[in-house]
Amino acid sequence: MNEDVRKQLIRKLKKENAFWSYDVSKMKSISDEAIIEHVLLYLDIDDINQLFPLFGYNKVKRVWLERVAPVGAMFRRYNILYAWYYFGAKRPDAYVKGIETRHMNRKMAAL
């Protein structure tokens, strides 16, 4: 069952051309993290809801924190929704802004 859901999500992502930067023909498999990231960025709420039983709350949240929330203004509205709806942030806009700021500070410190 879980493998069917995973394959269905991958099919939808390919249909949406979400893997535009990948050479999909050479990919043997798509990592869980890439699936979670791309579903959060490119698919709808019904598909996002399928991530939690498939991968677990902690893994979805970790991928969101590391790969989706820091992307900045382009996806900020989505991230505010995710912070509030899925991850229970009391002040989701401030929470997301804090994630973005910490991410940028780490990048700047690495220079």
Side-chain angles (χ1 to χ4, degrees):
M1 168 92 171
N2 282 346
E3 192 60 31
D4 293 338
V5 173
R6 191 176 198 283
K7 287 178 182 177
Q8 175 191 15
L9 290 173
I10 291 170
R11 268 194 310 277
K12 284 185 174 185
L13 288 166
K14 286 180 179 178
K15 184 178 177 186
E16 291 294 320
N17 201 26
F19 296 112
W20 60 270
S21 64
Y22 294 74
D23 185 354
V24 180
S25 65
K26 293 183 179 178
M27 293 174 65
K28 292 183 181 179
S29 66
I30 300 170
S31 71
D32 293 348
E33 290 78 8
I35 293 170
I36 294 167
E37 174 185 8
H38 286 80
V39 168
L40 289 169
L41 292 174
Y42 299 109
L43 297 184
D44 63 25
I45 200 120
D46 292 330
D47 300 314
I48 293 167
N49 289 338
Q50 292 183 51
L51 293 175
F52 293 93
L54 184 61
F55 297 110
Y57 176 87
N58 290 333
K59 188 171 194 171
V60 173
K61 185 173 183 180
R62 181 180 51 78
V63 171
W64 175 72
L65 286 169
E66 293 172 359
R67 296 171 78 161
V68 178
V71 296
M74 191 165 132
F75 291 99
R76 185 171 292 131
R77 289 183 182 184
Y78 291 119
N79 285 321
I80 290 169
L81 171 69
Y82 301 154
W84 169 75
Y85 187 75
Y86 290 112
F87 306 118
K90 301 275 189 247
R91 295 177 38 228
D93 43 351
Y95 184 68
V96 169
K97 183 66 176 162
I99 293 168
E100 292 171 354
T101 301
R102 281 189 299 278
H103 179 75
M104 187 56 69
N105 288 342
R106 272 182 282 197
K107 282 189 153 207
M108 296 302 285
L111 296 177

